[in-house]
């Protein structure tokens, strides 16, 4: 083995060890490894830059940026409404397939975050028995299409770099559909073993929000419990104002009437939850249209102290709408517009375009900060965003327009119409993914140039000496599965792909089964709640314990693997 091969191998081993330890961010590790290859003279500047400007990688970045607008749309709430009522089996089936369908085209994290509220509001069945299946459905849905998850596009970027035919939008759809069915069977059999839990929101640090039951609302004439407004983890109905009558505390059997003013305690995400509830008008909703939310703290010297929110005329003076207010651990009462502001009050604002340029902000507020939440787009703009996104995907599928070009046109349109802003793109730019994938592509280039890829392939051939391609395929799949449980799915795909691809070439068999072994293996993070961000989201929201989580995670992981191992060789022979 040459010194160049030894150096690259040492870098790979160190990279895997450090990724498993999890003390340093993957982006830093991959970028550092690429920097070492450049400093010692293995890589030139053109080779390094080529990794970070790969066409599929840039398409992935554009896709994630455009998906920010899809997150703001009401697409998720439209689908959430389809979950509806019925027996546990019916509701679970609808949650499973609707979540999977969404995740085939929209970022998994955005789907889970948006569906959380709808699932927790289900009035008939325990949220803890639905949240974990919903989370796993998002993972299964991600492997239905090329754009379902970032790992798919990462694998595609490696193929493009190898000069092989890139994957099509639905090339592995049938495999994904097969695993979706095996996963659904496992969920049907084991979901009832999950505990029935209902959490309640801690009001001590919650925002105070107001919403009104509109005329003709489907909520009117039904009780609080029947409307699913009881015992929500992030939203608590504190009181109801009906004319001159104040109903507090609110009982589960309390019937809602048209015109009732509902006062909630909730977290930041509650703004989006209330916007998506049919028949509720959030305070100031007619001025909300996808703005990124801002948090401000009222200064002691502010002229706002002593004024009510309505009298302060935020729209006129600051080009912003007050959505919620928080006052330490004090319990606020009465309508939001009638609350008299105190120094130190925290206000949640939906800003207009002139808000940031207001020169009086530093005088009126101690702190002005953006937070990772946005209001929802109105119905017309939501339909335009969803329709535009669908048109871009359709044009790509029918080869009328390259996906990169379509996404670029859509991003420009989103900026021109202020559905997205440059500030949002700057804050939400997927820098971590870009650095990880670009670094992995640059390292894979060194694997080929130094000949280390062939050395590893010959070693793997020795390990699988006399074994059939099926056994080698299963070995690569299980290797990737273990990696993705120990590190991020993107890093797992980046490390496993060169090995699987070279092994297929050395065995002189079709590379497609091995490509799919990596693609599906990198999306198989079910067993550990900390292995994937959506797992962690529902692990917290459902108040699960580890033993509760594993009751479903283990059979679902087994069902997923069985589906992959059966379907891939069946549809893509060696």
């Amino acid at each position: 083995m040459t010194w160049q091969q030894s150096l690259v191998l040492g870098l790979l081993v160190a990279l895997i060890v450090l990724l498993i330890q999890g003390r340093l961010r993957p982006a830093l590790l991959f970028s550092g490894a690429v920097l070492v290859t450049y400093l010692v003279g293995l890589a030139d500047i053109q080779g390094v830059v080529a990794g970070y400007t790969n066409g599929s990688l840039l398409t992935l970045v554009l896709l994630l940026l455009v998906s920010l607008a899809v997150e703001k749309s009401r697409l998720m709430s439209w689908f959430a409404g389809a979950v509806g009522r019925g027996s546990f089996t019916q509701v679970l089936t609808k949650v499973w397939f609707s979540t999977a369908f969404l995740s085939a085209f929209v970022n998994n994290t955005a789907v889970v975050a948006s569906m959380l509220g709808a699932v927790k509001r289900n009035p008939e069945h325990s949220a803890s028995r639905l949240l974990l299946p919903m989370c796993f459905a998002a993972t299964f849905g991600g492997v239905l299409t090329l754009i379902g998850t970032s790992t798919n596009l990462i694998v595609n970027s490696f193929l493009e770099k190898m000069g092989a035919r890139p994957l099509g939008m639905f090339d592995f759809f049938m495999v994904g559909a097969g695993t979706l069915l095996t996963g659904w069977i496992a969920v049907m059999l084991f979901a009832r073993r999950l505990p029935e839990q209902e959490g309640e929101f801690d009001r001590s640090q919650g925002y105070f929000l107001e919403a009104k039951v509109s005329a003709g609302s489907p909520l009117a004439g039904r009780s609080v419990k029947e409307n699913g407004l009881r015992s929500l983890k992030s939203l608590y109905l504190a009181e109801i104002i009906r004319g001159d009558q104040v109903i507090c505390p609110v009982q589960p059997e309390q019937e809602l009437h048209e015109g009732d003013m509902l006062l909630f305690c909730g977290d930041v995400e509650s703004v989006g939850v209330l916007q998506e509830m049919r028949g509720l008008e959030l305070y100031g909703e007619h001025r909300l249209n996808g703005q990124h939310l801002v948090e401000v703290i009222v200064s002691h010297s502010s002229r706002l102290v002593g004024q009510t929110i309505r009298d302060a005329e935020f729209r006129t003076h600051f080009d912003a709408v007050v959505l919620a207010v928080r006052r330490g651990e004090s319990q606020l009462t009465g309508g939001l517009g009638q609350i008299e502001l105190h120094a130190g009050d925290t206000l949640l604002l939906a800003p207009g375009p002139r808000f940031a340029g207001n020169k009086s902000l530093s005088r009126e507020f101690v702190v002005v900060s953006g937070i990772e939440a946005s209001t929802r787009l109105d119905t017309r703009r939501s339909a335009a965003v969803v329709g535009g996104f669908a048109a871009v995907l359709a044009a790509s599928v029918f080869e009328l327009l390259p996906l990169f070009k379509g996404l670029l046109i859509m991003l420009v349109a989103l900026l021109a119409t202020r559905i997205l802003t440059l500030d949002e793109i700057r804050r939400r730019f997927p820098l971590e993914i870009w650095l990880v994938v670009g670094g992995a592509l640059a390292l894979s280039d060194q694997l080929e140039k130094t000949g280390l890829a062939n050395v590893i392939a010959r070693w793997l051939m020795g390990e699988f000496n006399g074994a059939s391609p099926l056994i080698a395929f299963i070995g690569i799949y299980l290797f990737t599965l273990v990696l993705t449980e120990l590190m991020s799915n993107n890093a797992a795909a980046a490390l496993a792909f060169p090995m699987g691809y070279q092994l297929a070439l050395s065995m002189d068999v079709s590379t497609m089964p091995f490509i799919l072994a990596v693609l599906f293996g990198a999306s198989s993070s079910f067993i550990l709640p900390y292995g994937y961000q959506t797992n962690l989201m529902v692990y917290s929201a459902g108040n699960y314990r580890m033993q509760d989580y594993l009751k479903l995670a283990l059979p679902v992981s087994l069902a997923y693997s069985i589906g992959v191992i059966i379907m891939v060789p069946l549809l893509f022979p060696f």
Side-chain angles (χ1 to χ4, degrees):
M1 186 177 290
T2 65
W3 72 268
Q4 293 96 334
Q5 293 173 343
S6 299
L7 177 62
V8 175
L9 180 61
L11 282 173
L12 282 177
V13 172
L15 191 62
I16 292 173
V17 171
L18 291 171
L19 283 168
I20 292 173
Q21 288 180 344
R23 295 178 182 174
L24 297 173
R25 299 182 71 88
L28 180 63
L29 294 173
F30 276 94
S31 301
V34 172
L35 180 61
V36 170
T37 64
Y38 175 70
L39 292 177
V40 300
L42 283 179
D44 55 22
I45 190 65
Q46 288 81 10
V48 172
V49 171
Y52 293 98
T53 56
N54 176 273
S56 290
L57 175 55
L58 295 180
T59 299
L60 170 60
V61 171
L62 276 181
L63 180 66
L64 293 175
L65 292 177
V66 168
S67 71
L68 298 179
V70 180
E71 289 177 33
K72 288 184 180 186
S73 75
R74 306 203 176 202
L75 175 66
M76 310 303 179
S77 62
W78 293 336
F79 266 84
V83 171
R85 299 171 179 270
S87 67
F88 179 73
T89 299
Q90 290 172 329
V91 171
L92 185 57
T93 299
K94 286 187 281 187
V95 166
W96 180 262
F97 287 104
S98 61
T99 304
F101 178 80
L102 283 172
S103 296
F105 303 99
V106 184
N107 179 271
N108 289 4
T109 305
V111 171
V112 171
S114 300
M115 293 287 284
L116 269 174
V119 171
K120 287 191 291 185
R121 290 196 300 272
N122 187 281
E124 299 180 11
H125 306 288
S126 173
S128 57
R129 288 190 169 182
L130 296 171
L131 287 173
L132 198 53
M134 177 199 69
C135 169
F136 290 158
T139 303
F140 278 79
V143 290
L144 289 173
T145 67
L146 179 62
I147 64 169
T149 182
S150 58
T151 53
N152 300 352
L153 284 165
I154 289 170
V155 169
N156 201 46
S157 64
F158 275 98
L159 279 174
E160 185 179 89
K161 180 181 173 298
M162 298 286 187
R165 185 185 74 84
L167 296 169
M169 183 70 73
F170 298 104
D171 276 4
F172 46 89
F173 175 82
M174 292 306 297
V175 178
T179 64
L180 185 65
L181 289 175
T182 59
W184 174 68
I185 293 170
V187 163
M188 287 292 112
L189 292 174
F190 292 94
R192 285 183 174 84
R193 297 177 59 188
L194 293 172
E196 291 193 77
Q197 300 172 359
E198 292 297 341
E200 185 169 300
F201 177 67
D202 179 6
R203 288 169 279 164
S204 62
Q205 292 297 320
Y207 278 103
F208 186 76
L209 306 96
E210 175 187 320
K212 182 181 179 182
V213 180
S214 59
S217 169
L219 305 178
R222 302 172 63 202
S223 71
V224 169
K225 184 177 181 180
E226 288 173 333
N227 284 312
L229 298 177
R230 190 69 180 172
S231 300
L232 297 177
K233 184 176 177 62
S234 61
L235 197 63
Y236 175 81
L237 180 55
E239 62 184 69
I240 299 174
I241 299 178
R242 182 175 297 158
D244 296 329
Q245 179 187 8
V246 177
I247 302 172
C248 181
V250 179
Q251 300 299 325
E253 297 76 22
Q254 178 65 53
E255 186 177 289
L256 299 182
H257 295 175
E258 293 182 7
D260 281 353
M261 187 184 298
L262 309 184
L263 305 177
F264 294 91
C265 284
D267 61 16
V268 170
E269 297 298 332
S270 298
V271 173
V273 171
L274 289 176
Q275 273 194 282
E276 292 175 356
M277 285 187 182
R278 287 183 58 206
L280 271 189
E281 295 177 5
L282 184 63
Y283 184 87
E285 182 162 16
H286 60 291
R287 293 170 179 166
L288 306 183
N289 203 15
Q291 300 100 318
H292 180 74
L293 302 184
V294 171
E295 200 173 50
V296 301
I297 299 177
V298 179
S299 167
H300 283 78
S301 60
S302 173
R303 66 172 184 79
L304 302 173
V305 174
Q307 292 192 59
T308 65
I309 291 177
R310 183 169 285 115
D311 291 341
E313 296 182 338
F314 269 79
R315 181 70 175 179
T316 301
H317 295 293
F318 302 105
D319 191 27
V321 178
V322 179
L323 300 179
V325 60
R326 185 175 67 207
R327 183 174 294 160
E329 297 186 5
S330 300
Q331 184 73 36
L332 299 173
T333 61
L336 185 63
Q338 302 304 318
I339 291 177
E340 188 177 282
L341 294 174
H342 293 183
D345 282 353
T346 302
L347 308 180
L348 190 64
L349 307 179
R354 298 187 302 277
F355 174 81
N358 194 311
K359 296 180 179 179
S360 65
L361 292 181
S362 60
R363 181 178 68 251
E364 304 291 350
F365 307 113
V366 178
V367 178
V368 179
S369 60
I371 54 180
E372 292 300 324
S374 300
T375 61
R376 296 287 184 264
L377 297 169
D378 59 30
T379 303
R380 181 179 60 82
R381 285 194 161 197
S382 292
V385 167
V386 173
F389 187 61
V392 167
L393 296 183
S396 172
V397 169
F398 293 107
E399 299 182 354
L400 300 175
L401 190 70
L403 183 58
F404 179 85
K405 188 175 291 186
L407 290 171
L408 183 61
I409 293 171
M410 185 170 181
L411 182 61
V412 171
L414 292 171
L415 288 170
T417 55
R418 294 194 59 82
I419 291 175
L420 288 180
T421 65
L422 288 174
D423 183 58
E424 284 178 293
I425 289 177
R426 177 184 57 79
R427 283 183 297 97
R428 301 286 301 275
F429 187 84
L431 182 63
E432 181 94 6
I433 290 178
W434 183 63
L435 290 175
V436 167
V437 180
L441 289 169
L443 285 177
S444 73
D445 189 49
Q446 294 308 309
L447 279 172
E448 290 179 44
K449 284 185 176 179
T450 61
L452 182 60
N454 291 326
V455 172
I456 293 174
R458 286 196 298 270
W459 173 77
L460 287 173
M461 279 287 292
E463 292 298 312
F464 291 108
N465 185 32
S468 67
L470 176 62
I471 299 300
F473 158 76
I474 294 173
I476 290 297
Y477 170 76
L478 293 177
F479 172 70
T480 312
L481 183 151
V482 171
L483 282 182
T484 201
E485 290 288 1
L486 297 175
M487 62 185 70
S488 76
N489 53 349
N490 294 330
L495 291 172
F497 180 87
M499 299 179 188
Y501 192 81
Q502 289 297 329
L503 178 60
L505 293 177
S506 63
M507 296 184 77
D508 195 25
V509 295
S510 170
T511 58
M512 193 63 177
F514 291 83
I515 292 166
L516 295 182
V518 174
L519 186 146
F520 280 89
S523 292
S524 61
S525 182
F526 300 104
I527 297 174
L528 297 178
Y530 310 102
Y532 194 52
Q533 53 194 351
T534 54
N535 296 359
L536 192 58
M537 287 165 65
V538 299
Y539 186 73
S540 173
N543 295 318
Y544 297 109
R545 296 171 300 171
M546 180 59 78
Q547 55 265 44
D548 300 327
Y549 181 90
L550 292 176
K551 287 177 183 176
L552 188 62
L554 288 173
V556 164
S557 181
L558 180 61
Y560 179 90
S561 296
I562 290 173
V564 172
I565 291 170
I566 291 175
M567 295 294 294
V568 170
L570 189 65
L571 296 174
F572 299 93
F574 297 102

